[in-house]
Amino acid sequence: MSPEMLALLEEGFTVLAIGFSTVFVFLVILIISMNIQTVVIRYLNKVFPVAVAETASPKAIKSSDDAEIAIAIACATLKQNHG
């Protein structure tokens, strides 16, 4: 190989090492900052808890509802069979 090609190869490896190092350092900083953020958010959730909205309890099915359901099933079956 000529000295020019070796110099280009060396320069290419330098750029490669700088690029990989930059990405690696960025990812390490990202992971550390996300872990710190998790700790801070957990602490803030203990200090300022979010009020949980109460949901209405599901309506109990009554006997009159059973009749309405039976009528709806009968109508759907009739419509499906007779168009």
Side-chain angles (χ1 to χ4, degrees):
M1 284 191 176
S2 68
E4 293 173 358
M5 291 183 78
L6 287 175
L8 285 176
L9 189 61
E10 182 181 338
E11 189 176 326
F13 281 130
T14 304
V15 171
L16 177 99
I18 291 171
F20 278 145
S21 300
T22 303
V23 171
F24 180 76
V25 169
F26 172 77
L27 290 175
V28 167
I29 291 171
L30 180 68
I31 290 170
I32 291 171
S33 65
M34 288 180 70
N35 287 333
I36 291 171
Q37 181 182 1
T38 301
V39 170
V40 169
I41 289 175
R42 282 186 184 157
Y43 174 74
L44 289 176
N45 280 337
K46 287 180 183 176
V47 174
F48 304 109
V50 178
V52 178
E54 293 185 26
T55 59
S57 62
K59 185 175 98 174
I61 297 178
K62 301 176 188 172
S63 61
S64 63
D65 289 343
D66 290 340
E68 291 175 8
I69 292 172
I71 292 170
I73 292 172
C75 290
T77 305
L78 182 65
K79 183 171 183 168
Q80 184 179 13
N81 291 338
H82 298 289

